[in-house]
Amino acid sequence: MAKTIMTVDDSNSVRQMVAFTLKQEGYDVIEAVDGLDALKKIQSAKVDLLITDLNMPNCDGLTLIKEVRAMANFKFLPILFLTTESSDEKKAQAKSSGATGWIVKPFKPEQLVSVVKKVLP
Amino acid sequence: MSHSENPHVELFRQEALELLADVQECLLLIEDAPEDKDAINRLFRAMHSIKGAGGMFGYDRITDFTHHVESALDQVREGRLAISRELIDLVLASHDCIKEMLDDEKSMSQDRLQEIQRGLESLGGSNAIAPTSKAAIKTPSSGLSMYRIRFRPDARIFFSGTDPMRLIQELSEMGDCRIVCNLSEVPGFAALNPELCYLYWDIILRTKSTLNQIEDVFIFVASESQIDISIVDEEDIEDSQYKKLGEILVERGDIPKENLEQALHESETIGARLIKKSLVDPHKIESALAEQEMVRSARAKRQQETAMASIRVNADKLDRLVDLVGELVTAQARISRIAESIRTNQELSDVAEELESLTTRLRDETMGIRMVPIGSVVSTFRRLIRDLAKDLKKDIEFTCIGEETELDKGVIERLKDPLVHIVRNSTDHGIELPEIRAAAGKPAQGNIRLEAMHSGAHVLIKITDDGKGLDIEAIHRKAIDKGLVSPDQNISENELFQLIFAPGFSTAEKVTELSGRGVGMDVVRQNIEALRGSISIDSAKGKGITITLKLPLTLAIIDGLMVTMDQDSFIIPLASVEECVDLDHQEMDKIKGRNILNLRGVAVPFVRLRERLHRTTKTPEREQVVITNLEGKRMGVVVDAVVGSHQTVLKNLGPAMRQARDVSGATILGDGSVALILDLQSIQ
């Protein structure tokens, strides 16, 4: 069965591009526009991987990661975050919130796919 | 760059315009109320989003430029840069530039952008660090290196959503790998927390990848986990010896030097002594021994390679060896049959099974010895083309890719004539004279390229020229003249091309002027098919021709599927078999004599072997169909029963049988009887 990936981003174009790329690779994709939306949708979904932006209005990426990681279902869920800076500080913050890895923006579709394949069993 | 055709790009443009509108609004708000934190944050986020998304949709200049603006705004956000009229003017100017670049990125003047950047810098928003490149540039190193990697994940690694096994698997895909898992820290059952990781791994990896690439595997876990990577061996080290076990352990920091020296004074093996004294746990010894063994064997192999790169053997000897292996395969098949019939004897079954696997390996090794690189034939072409081109006053360059691709010696020998024919045709008829080429706007020098590559159990050879190509209309007319196609028949371009292989098609006198191809393409095809290969052609008028040959790797032994019909056995080449299904007689009644099978909703034509071979015996109650696939065309062959896979030693039919249709050879079965090998191409 196809794996399901949730992509969370307030930018419609980035979300579309991520969703489009992943669907082409055969994944099912659930989209969410920000952290709140993601938290609402993830409750009832079977998600195998979460990809989230960090900078978002209403509930940002860091908060989302912490909240999701605290749910019993998603204790071990792979979580990737998108970041523009390769700033280690942000990465460390996100990692300690429970993220698995990151993708540096801007990225090309192939880079996205290779990172997804790296963390998705 | 034109972005308009991509819907995602258009979406980004729309979104960027909305964000820019937001930028402008925020700027005006801030101008009135510089302490409005919300507006400043919104402003920053908008710039940030434009920058982040821009690069993904090909707007690299926007991304670069926005980065500087964003850095300045970041400082504002953190209170390190005060809001001033100049700042707001500059950001407004940036807004305008970005907007213009969204319409046309190329024509934006670099000076204007730089002026804004300098302005921002002079305000103090200068320390913009250039966006770091996405990934370290990976330069593949030339040779193989051996790495020692110790990966000791953080105990809580699972809680970051990381599966350490994935990382180990990723490593093992990079090359030859020995992995030793260390269990010494796993606690007793009562104390074990299944959500923690107690294991760690020592990995010895022999790979072409660079240190950087290996580090990239661990990029997400590098900060919490302990990862030590060191190079233990490189290609240019010639010594076949390697460090002693004790040295490796000390180097790894697994034991202190004093302990080693102490242990060395006794006489058992060093490993056993260290374990006995519990100076080091057995897993560490095991891991160090694995490293030692891998490095030693890699070095020994290299030495051997340099010492004895090759030996010359008479080709006859090789042929005899292959014959003998063939006989061995046949004899082994008998043993397997006997073992199967006496099922009660487990010991016999075991031996038969082992014998089978050994024979298969021996077969593959022997076939490997007969493999010859195709370059050995190709070298003669250079001369041929050069001489021909000189006579014809043409300028032709010949390039060859994949000269090292190997094929069975027998195949290569019989491939030479057809290849010469094709190359000669390209030189003679394909490539035009330099002045004609120049007039057609092509480079005066023509090009003939030969490419060889592996593709599954086959080798593909492509011969491409950039000459005048095939004249499709002329071929069509010709085919109609010859009665090969009817004038109103709907025929694809590809099918028309294949017609030049039809017997007699190209031998007509008009051929050279209509197609530019010389005589005998049908002979070429026969030769290739005799090698159990196939040939196809593709061309565009004025652009040139590509001829593709598909050849089996070997001629001597193939994997076959054994079937029976009318008490006789037949072999179908397994490479062409898709599946076997039962023939449903009720279903047959419905289609009433039309030989079409309904295979899960797809219509597949079939041939009854019994009818095809004119056997008059009665059809049995149950029949089976072998679904074959020959270059995309499926066909069912109806037989009495499918027996199973069979290693088939090919024997040619004698000259008297050369004309036999539908069979391409024969093989001797385990019980001494003969099975014919079906020629699917002819049956189809």
Side-chain angles (χ1 to χ4, degrees):
Chain A
M1 210 184 81
K3 303 263 181 194
T4 306
I5 301 176
M6 177 178 275
T7 164
V8 192
D9 205 309
D10 56 328
S11 154
N12 192 11
S13 65
V14 173
R15 220 170 49 233
Q16 293 264 327
M17 188 260 213
V18 170
F20 178 76
T21 309
L22 294 177
K23 279 179 190 159
Q24 274 198 324
E25 287 293 311
Y27 297 109
D28 288 337
V29 181
I30 300 174
E31 294 179 33
V33 297
D34 58 33
L36 276 185
D37 191 29
L39 281 173
K40 207 167 66 202
K41 284 179 177 161
I42 206 167
Q43 309 275 11
S44 55
K46 188 201 140 295
V47 172
D48 300 294
L49 168 68
L50 178 71
I51 304 179
T52 176
D53 194 16
L54 286 187
N55 248 303
M56 289 182 298
N58 313 319
C59 180
D60 67 3
L62 287 182
T63 320
L64 172 65
I65 296 173
K66 274 186 217 147
E67 299 256 333
V68 170
R69 189 58 84 212
M71 298 180 186
N73 291 357
F74 299 116
K75 225 189 228 175
F76 307 124
L77 177 78
I79 301 177
L80 292 173
F81 60 92
L82 308 180
T83 171
T84 33
E85 251 52 54
S86 23
S87 105
D88 290 336
E89 192 193 334
K90 257 274 152 38
K91 279 180 196 162
Q93 265 179 20
K95 285 262 348 182
S96 66
S97 307
T100 312
W102 59 86
I103 306 170
V104 178
K105 284 199 282 190
F107 53 85
K108 301 274 181 290
E110 314 82 78
Q111 292 169 313
L112 170 69
V113 173
S114 84
V115 178
V116 166
K117 291 215 168 119
K118 186 178 167 73
V119 298
L120 196 56
Chain B
M1 190 189 315
S2 157
H3 296 294
S4 52
E5 69 277 12
N6 184 334
H8 296 288
V9 172
E10 189 46 40
L11 195 67
F12 162 73
R13 249 175 51 81
Q14 296 294 338
E15 196 174 88
L17 288 174
E18 282 163 28
L19 288 167
L20 283 175
D22 209 27
V23 165
Q24 190 158 314
E25 196 189 312
C26 290
L27 282 170
L28 300 176
L29 281 174
I30 295 167
E31 193 165 25
D32 289 342
E35 63 287 347
D36 187 343
K37 273 261 174 262
D38 274 353
I40 294 172
N41 277 332
R42 242 172 78 202
L43 177 62
F44 173 80
R45 217 170 36 230
M47 276 298 176
H48 181 84
S49 296
I50 294 173
K51 171 185 133 182
M56 278 181 258
F57 299 98
Y59 289 94
D60 291 337
R61 286 186 76 188
I62 292 191
T63 301
D64 282 352
F65 173 68
T66 315
H67 178 72
H68 294 274
V69 186
E70 186 207 6
S71 308
L73 293 177
D74 192 31
Q75 298 197 14
V76 174
R77 197 170 62 146
E78 285 171 7
R80 282 187 283 136
L81 184 65
I83 306 244
S84 61
R85 170 152 290 278
E86 290 84 359
L87 178 73
I88 289 182
D89 284 347
L90 282 168
V91 179
L92 274 173
S94 318
H95 162 276
D96 298 343
C97 288
I98 294 170
K99 202 166 174 181
E100 279 175 46
M101 283 196 278
L102 277 174
D103 279 334
D104 183 0
E105 204 184 23
K106 259 194 218 146
S107 55
M108 170 56 64
S109 98
Q110 190 62 34
D111 291 348
R112 221 172 118 199
L113 297 182
Q114 267 170 0
E115 197 184 317
I116 297 176
Q117 276 171 32
R118 273 195 299 271
L120 289 169
E121 276 164 29
S122 66
L123 287 176
S126 65
N127 45 351
I129 319 132
T132 26
S133 58
K134 294 109 225 170
I137 299 146
K138 291 165 187 168
T139 40
S141 83
S142 51
L144 286 161
S145 295
M146 195 154 336
Y147 297 90
R148 171 203 295 163
I149 302 156
R150 174 163 292 178
F151 170 41
R152 195 191 277 262
D154 179 49
R156 295 181 50 82
I157 188 165
F158 298 123
F159 293 100
S160 70
T162 309
D163 178 358
M165 285 320 289
R166 295 275 309 157
L167 303 177
I168 300 215
Q169 199 189 336
E170 218 180 310
L171 275 185
S172 69
E173 283 161 9
M174 296 170 96
D176 232 5
C177 195
R178 282 283 289 270
I179 302 158
V180 179
C181 177
N182 195 308
L183 305 166
S184 59
E185 281 165 29
V186 181
F189 194 71
L192 187 114
N193 177 348
E195 295 187 344
L196 295 182
C197 178
Y198 299 99
L199 307 177
Y200 71 91
W201 290 268
D202 279 321
I203 299 135
I204 304 294
L205 174 67
R206 187 160 172 263
T207 175
K208 285 195 165 149
S209 307
T210 61
L211 188 62
N212 251 334
Q213 284 167 309
I214 296 176
E215 280 170 347
D216 271 358
V217 171
F218 295 106
I219 182 164
F220 294 151
V221 296
S223 51
E224 302 86 26
S225 301
Q226 182 200 334
I227 292 140
D228 300 314
I229 306 174
S230 47
I231 297 182
V232 289
D233 187 36
E234 274 175 301
E235 196 82 276
D236 48 5
I237 301 177
E238 291 206 342
D239 188 1
S240 77
Q241 278 308 306
Y242 184 59
K243 293 176 193 120
K244 298 214 164 67
L245 173 62
E247 291 175 294
I248 301 175
L249 288 168
V250 171
E251 202 177 284
R252 289 175 168 212
D254 286 345
I255 55 165
K257 202 153 192 265
E258 309 81 75
N259 285 0
L260 173 70
E261 273 161 11
Q262 198 188 347
L264 276 173
H265 286 299
E266 292 150 50
S267 58
E268 284 172 86
T269 66
I270 177 70
R273 272 177 278 157
L274 287 167
I275 295 170
K276 203 155 78 185
K277 289 177 170 282
S278 4
L279 292 173
V280 60
D281 79 81
H283 298 287
K284 285 182 176 162
I285 298 275
E286 190 194 338
S287 156
L289 283 172
E291 170 178 332
Q292 195 183 37
E293 192 193 315
M294 252 185 95
V295 176
R296 274 188 187 160
S297 77
R299 288 187 178 174
K301 205 169 149 203
R302 272 204 306 274
Q303 265 196 343
Q304 222 173 17
E305 275 166 9
T306 39
M308 199 172 54
S310 64
I311 51 164
R312 295 175 86 86
V313 180
N314 191 323
D316 288 346
K317 282 189 183 170
L318 274 187
D319 289 346
R320 274 204 300 276
L321 180 62
V322 170
D323 282 349
L324 281 173
V325 170
E327 301 295 332
L328 184 66
V329 168
T330 311
Q332 173 263 314
R334 281 177 70 177
I335 300 263
S336 291
R337 262 174 67 104
I338 295 168
E340 218 163 282
S341 61
I342 317 173
R343 285 213 181 153
T344 47
N345 193 330
Q346 186 56 40
E347 217 174 334
L348 181 62
S349 309
D350 289 350
V351 175
E353 214 165 279
E354 195 180 335
L355 188 63
E356 185 174 345
S357 94
L358 281 172
T359 329
T360 312
R361 274 170 58 194
L362 181 62
R363 176 195 76 170
D364 291 346
E365 290 290 332
T366 314
M367 293 303 155
I369 299 176
R370 282 172 56 100
M371 293 299 194
V372 185
I374 195 161
S376 59
V377 189
V378 168
S379 55
T380 60
F381 293 165
R382 284 185 205 284
R383 184 62 198 273
L384 175 83
I385 292 172
R386 193 186 153 277
D387 290 354
L388 256 178
K390 208 172 147 205
D391 288 349
L392 295 163
K393 302 198 169 42
K394 291 179 183 175
D395 186 5
I396 298 172
E397 187 195 28
F398 176 68
T399 45
C400 182
I401 299 162
E403 282 170 89
E404 69 290 344
T405 311
E406 290 183 326
L407 265 170
D408 188 273
K409 173 170 96 51
V411 179
I412 295 247
E413 275 164 11
R414 288 157 68 184
L415 189 62
K416 195 175 165 188
D417 287 345
L419 276 180
V420 165
H421 196 99
I422 294 168
V423 169
R424 196 194 285 268
N425 264 348
S426 284
T427 317
D428 197 357
H429 309 295
I431 306 279
E432 311 90 325
L433 289 167
E435 43 287 11
I436 298 176
R437 292 181 62 88
K442 295 195 210 176
Q445 188 181 50
N447 194 320
I448 298 176
R449 197 177 57 198
L450 189 144
E451 270 175 281
M453 71 203 90
H454 282 284
S455 159
H458 292 88
V459 165
L460 296 182
I461 301 177
K462 282 189 187 177
I463 303 105
T464 310
D465 70 52
D466 64 349
K468 61 185 168 214
L470 289 177
D471 184 343
I472 188 98
E473 281 126 42
I475 295 177
H476 198 185
R477 278 200 303 279
K478 181 85 189 164
I480 294 169
D481 282 355
K482 285 245 159 204
L484 289 168
V485 290
S486 62
D488 49 357
Q489 191 177 342
N490 201 354
I491 183 163
S492 77
E493 211 169 81
N494 192 32
E495 282 169 311
L496 274 176
F497 287 147
Q498 309 318 321
L499 281 179
I500 72 162
F501 297 118
F505 189 82
S506 50
T507 49
E509 50 193 338
K510 271 178 69 188
V511 151
T512 27
E513 60 172 274
L514 84 79
S515 64
R517 295 287 117 177
V519 289
M521 283 310 271
D522 62 324
V523 179
V524 170
R525 182 169 80 160
Q526 274 169 22
N527 284 340
I528 299 297
E529 281 174 0
L531 293 168
R532 287 187 297 110
S534 64
I535 184 166
S536 64
I537 190 163
D538 192 20
S539 170
K541 194 178 173 185
K543 296 251 173 68
I545 283 184
T546 301
I547 291 177
T548 308
L549 309 179
K550 188 178 174 195
L551 295 155
L553 279 174
T554 171
L555 288 179
I557 301 181
I558 60 164
D559 284 319
L561 181 72
M562 185 150 78
V563 299
T564 60
M565 191 274 293
D566 193 15
Q567 330 253 302
D568 283 337
S569 301
F570 297 88
I571 303 286
I572 299 175
L574 198 58
S576 313
V577 173
E578 266 187 0
E579 59 178 312
C580 301
V581 293
D582 284 330
L583 190 68
D584 187 337
H585 282 251
Q586 283 182 336
E587 186 81 11
M588 283 304 104
D589 291 341
K590 279 192 233 157
I591 56 166
K592 295 197 181 67
R594 278 173 298 163
N595 283 350
I596 302 279
L597 181 74
N598 176 0
L599 187 66
R600 294 183 295 271
V602 181
V604 177
F606 67 80
V607 174
R608 284 180 186 273
L609 196 58
R610 180 171 269 98
E611 289 168 13
R612 185 81 187 187
L613 300 181
H614 309 290
R615 302 284 175 103
T616 48
T617 44
K618 200 176 160 296
T619 311
E621 274 296 293
R622 295 188 52 209
E623 289 177 287
Q624 285 188 296
V625 193
V626 180
I627 307 293
T628 63
N629 189 331
L630 222 55
E631 280 142 51
K633 274 206 240 162
R634 288 162 117 196
M635 180 186 63
V637 179
V638 181
V639 299
D640 290 358
V642 172
V643 179
S645 71
H646 184 263
Q647 278 198 57
T648 310
V649 183
L650 299 181
K651 302 274 180 201
N652 285 333
L653 297 170
M657 305 285 281
R658 182 89 9 112
Q659 299 302 318
R661 283 180 56 208
D662 299 348
V663 288
S664 59
T667 188
I668 299 167
L669 299 180
D671 61 2
S673 64
V674 171
L676 293 173
I677 297 158
L678 296 178
D679 179 2
L680 293 174
Q681 217 129 18
S682 135
I683 291 178
Q684 214 172 39

